[in-house]
């Protein structure tokens, strides 16, 4: 593998559910250390795209490589090895209610890496401090946290094992604009500190502008525009223009009967 080989590479990826083609030929190269944001409407297939890269969903055809290794068709144990390089902040944070905050944050270290509980607790406290949370939060239960704090804990969990790749699935959904901005800043800081490759999916344009080196827009199963964030306001693409300006009128039409 040469130094310039992409960290993640998708070629002609197709994924359908029954009659519904969700991904219909997706091509994308993501360089090591790059932050790519995938935009697109609700139900456009953004989460499906990430799940295909993680091997949670299996595309019918096409190729997905991580560090040059083909993920499509890879067996369970191999997939686990690839996923050990990946941290993930889930939509709605998705913390384990039955575990205290510190065990949520150290989950990957305890499970995959077999770290002892004392070291895992210390790692959790240290990682919590990086997302602006005090040590006393470590012993709380997820239900005791506000939405913004849950997102911070989810972010701490995503970065605790210092992954090479981090996926953020709608990191600001459900947060007020100020807390959303705090989370966006933390994402940028954490990704930079780790030198990680980041893939964020969102429909929040404030996030896009803050987080993205490059933007890819998913529409009807294809990436219809990919370009640097600096070009997004002069994309010349009517779909992108409609989306980033949040206009009801334009080529993107909602099927309101579904
Ligand atoms: N496991 C699944 N089984 C059937 N349909 C699914 C599954 N996961 C996602 N879909 C469908 O795929 C489409 C894209 O979903 P998703 O990727 O979650 O959208 P979003 O862009 O909002 O993240 C939706 O129509 C959704 O209903
Ligand atoms: Mg989604």
């Amino acid at each position: 593998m040469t130094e310039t080989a992409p960290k993640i590479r998708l070629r002609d990826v197709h994924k359908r559910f029954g009659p519904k083609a969700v991904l219909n030929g997706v091509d994308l190269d993501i360089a090591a250390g790059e932050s790519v944001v995938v935009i697109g409407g609700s139900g456009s297939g953004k989460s499906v795209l990430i799940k295909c890269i993680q091997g949670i969903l299996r595309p019918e055809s096409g190729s997905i490589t991580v560090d040059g290794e083909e993920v499509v068709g890879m067996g369970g144990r191999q997939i686990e090895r690839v996923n050990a390089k990946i941290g993930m902040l889930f939509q709605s944070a998705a913390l384990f209610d039955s575990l205290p905050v510190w065990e949520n944050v150290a989950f990957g270290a305890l499970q995959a890496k077999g770290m002892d509980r004392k070291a895992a607790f210390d790692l959790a406290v240290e990682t919590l401090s990086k997302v602006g949370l005090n040590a006393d939060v470590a012993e709380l239960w997820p239900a005791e946290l506000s939405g913004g704090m849950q997102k911070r804990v989810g972010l701490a969990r995503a970065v605790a094992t210092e992954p090479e790749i981090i996926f953020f699935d709608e990191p600001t959904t459900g947060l007020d604009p100020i807390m959303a901005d705090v989370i966006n800043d933390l994402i940028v800081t954490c990704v930079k500190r780790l030198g990680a490759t980041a893939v964020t999916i969102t429909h929040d344009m404030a996030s896009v502008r803050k987080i993205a080196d490059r933007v890819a827009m998913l529409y009807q199963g294809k990436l219809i525009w990919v370009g640097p964030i600096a070009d997004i306001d002069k994309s010349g693409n009517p779909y992108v223009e409609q989306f980033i300006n949040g206009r009801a009128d334009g080529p993107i039409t909602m099927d309101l009967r579904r």
Side-chain angles (χ1 to χ4, degrees), residues 142-211:
E144 297 178 274
L145 308 178
S146 68
M149 282 168 87
Q150 289 185 2
K151 285 280 186 186
R152 287 188 199 221
V153 172
L155 179 59
R157 181 173 61 186
V159 301
T161 55
E162 308 204 330
E164 297 168 31
I165 298 168
I166 315 177
F167 293 136
F168 300 99
D169 191 345
E170 306 213 2
T172 59
T173 298
L175 299 179
D176 68 64
I178 295 169
M179 186 50 71
D181 198 48
V182 169
I183 296 293
N184 287 333
D185 284 341
L186 284 171
I187 287 174
V188 171
T189 313
C190 288
V191 168
K192 285 238 170 73
R193 181 171 49 80
L194 295 174
T197 305
V199 183
T200 305
I201 59 189
T202 187
H203 42 231
D204 175 355
M205 284 311 298
S207 284
V208 176
R209 291 179 192 282
K210 206 140 212 181
I211 294 172

Side-chain angles (χ1 to χ4, degrees), residues 17 20 22 41-48:
F17 296 103
K20 185 172 180 161
V22 176
S42 299
S44 59
K46 302 183 299 298
S47 295
V48 166

